Amino acid sequence: MQTIIIDEEFQSLLPKLDEETYKSLESSIIQNGCMEALVTWNGILMDGHYRYEICLKHDIPFETVEMEFSSREEALIWIINMQVSRRNLTPMQLSHLRGLHYQTEKKIIKNETGKNQHNEVSVHNEHKAQTLSTAGFLAAKYKVSPMTIRRDAKVAEGINSIGEVSLAAKRSILSGEVSIDKKELERFSEKPRKEIEAFVEAVENGEYEKKKAAASALSRQAAPVERVLADLEKLGAAVAKAEANIRSELNLVSRRADRNLLKKALKAHMDRLEELYVLL
C-alpha cells in the first residue's frame, strides 16, 4: 500500500467528525471501497485524511491524485478553499480559515514592490478603477467586511500560537470542546509564550472552563447595577440607530424590487453591526 505523508498543519485544518458521521463513512468504505481518490502534493496528503485512516485500519486499497502547486502557501490556500466549500463549519472554524487565508495570501509575494496578486487586481465601479487590498479581495470572496477579515487574521494568529504549544488544545478550540471568545483569541496573538503555556495547561487539565465560569460569576457580582444599566442603554441606542438606518434603506430598495440592491443594503447593515461589536 502506498505510503503517504501526513502534515500536521494541513491535518489540523480538518474539522473533527462526530462519532456517528465517522462510523457512517467507515461503513460505506468497508462496504463499497474507497470510491474517491485521495489528493496529494509531493506525497503529502491534502484531502481525504479520514478516508486514508479508515483504509489503513481495514487494509482497503485506495487511489491517489497528485496536485501541482508552486509553493506551500498555494497548497494551503487550496485546502482552505476545499474546507470552506464542502464543510458545514462552525463560526470559529470559518473565522480561523478566513484569517489563515489572509495570512497566507500576504506571504505570496508576486513582485519586487512587495505586493501580492490581489494588490494588483483592479476592478471598475462606475468607470472608476479601484485597487483591491488582500483584505478587500477576501472580503468579497467570503461576503464579509474587510474589518472582519483582518480580525479573523488576529484570531487565526492566536489559535496558531496555541497550536505551536499544543495541537490538542488547538483542535479542542476549533472543535468547540473548549469555549473561548474570539476577542480573547485575538489577545493570544500578542501574549508571551509562558502565558500561552499556562492557558494550554489549564485546557488540558480541564481547569480553563472552571476558571472562566468563576471569573464570569465574579464579574457579574462586582458590576454595579447602575453601570450595567448604563451599558445596556448605550447598546440599545446604538442598535436602534442601526435598525433605523437599515429600515430606511430597505424602504427605498423595496420600491425598486432590485435583489442586488437589497443584498447590498443588508451587507452594509451587517458591516455596521460588526463595527458595533468591535467597539463593545
Side-chain angles (χ1 to χ4, degrees):
M1 186 173 289
Q2 180 181 353
T3 301
I4 290 179
I5 302 168
I6 300 298
D7 184 286
E8 286 191 342
E9 182 184 13
F10 290 170
Q11 187 180 33
S12 71
L13 299 180
L14 188 70
K16 185 177 180 180
L17 293 184
D18 59 70
E19 185 177 355
E20 183 179 351
T21 304
Y22 184 89
K23 286 185 176 180
S24 176
L25 176 63
E26 185 174 30
S27 297
S28 175
I29 291 176
I30 291 173
Q31 182 176 354
N32 304 310
C34 189
M35 306 294 289
E36 189 176 352
L38 311 182
V39 180
T40 60
W41 168 61
N42 292 336
I44 301 171
L45 188 58
M46 300 282 290
D47 183 58
H49 288 76
Y50 288 118
R51 281 175 278 135
Y52 179 60
E53 180 182 297
I54 292 167
C55 286
L56 287 184
K57 180 180 177 181
H58 299 283
D59 197 24
I60 296 173
F62 57 84
E63 295 182 354
T64 62
V65 174
E66 180 75 7
M67 299 287 289
E68 292 186 8
F69 300 102
S70 61
S71 67
R72 182 180 177 85
E73 286 75 26
E74 288 190 5
L76 186 59
I77 289 172
W78 184 87
I79 294 175
I80 291 170
N81 285 330
M82 287 294 290
Q83 295 303 320
V84 171
S85 66
R86 66 160 58 158
R87 304 287 182 181
N88 184 21
L89 301 172
T90 67
M92 181 65 77
Q93 291 167 344
L94 187 55
S95 181
H96 174 246
L97 289 175
R98 289 192 306 239
L100 187 59
H101 194 164
Y102 175 82
Q103 292 173 330
T104 308
E105 289 282 1
K106 298 289 282 187
K107 292 179 182 178
I108 302 177
I109 305 300
K110 292 296 183 183
N111 54 56
E112 294 179 357
T113 64
K115 295 180 179 179
N116 63 27
Q117 73 263 38
H118 304 307
N119 292 115
E120 296 298 313
V121 174
S122 293
V123 295
H124 291 274
N125 182 16
E126 297 179 355
H127 308 291
K128 182 179 179 181
Q130 298 178 346
T131 301
L132 289 179
S133 65
T134 303
F137 163 76
L138 293 178
K141 173 182 174 64
Y142 291 113
K143 297 180 174 57
V144 296
S145 70
M147 179 184 292
T148 296
I149 294 296
R150 292 189 180 95
R151 194 167 65 242
D152 287 339
K154 281 290 186 182
V155 170
E157 190 176 342
I159 291 175
N160 290 342
S161 295
I162 293 168
E164 289 174 3
V165 176
S166 169
L167 279 175
K170 175 181 177 179
R171 289 179 180 134
S172 294
I173 291 170
L174 290 174
S175 67
E177 294 172 11
V178 172
S179 176
I180 182 170
D181 187 82
K182 288 183 181 180
K183 286 188 176 182
E184 187 174 351
L185 285 171
E186 290 177 35
R187 290 191 284 271
F188 270 105
S189 66
E190 300 174 354
K191 285 187 176 183
R193 188 176 178 89
K194 284 187 177 180
E195 290 190 33
I196 297 174
E197 289 174 348
F199 166 80
V200 166
E201 185 178 357
V203 167
E204 293 179 343
N205 293 336
E207 293 298 317
Y208 172 74
E209 294 288 356
K210 294 178 183 178
K211 290 179 180 179
K212 181 180 177 183
S216 178
L218 183 61
S219 175
R220 288 195 298 271
Q221 292 172 6
V225 174
E226 293 79 7
R227 195 183 80 190
V228 174
L229 291 176
D231 288 344
L232 287 175
E233 186 175 350
K234 290 179 184 178
L235 178 60
V239 172
K241 183 178 179 180
E243 183 180 0
N245 288 336
I246 189 60
R247 283 184 181 276
S248 176
E249 291 177 15
L250 289 178
N251 284 335
L252 291 174
V253 171
S254 62
R255 295 170 190 170
R256 302 185 189 180
D258 190 319
R259 183 179 178 84
N260 289 330
L261 285 176
L262 176 60
K263 291 175 70 174
K264 185 177 179 181
L266 288 172
K267 177 65 170 56
H269 180 54
M270 290 167 62
D271 290 346
R272 283 195 291 268
L273 289 176
E274 284 184 340
E275 291 167 4
L276 175 61
Y277 169 81
V278 172
L279 294 174
L280 291 178

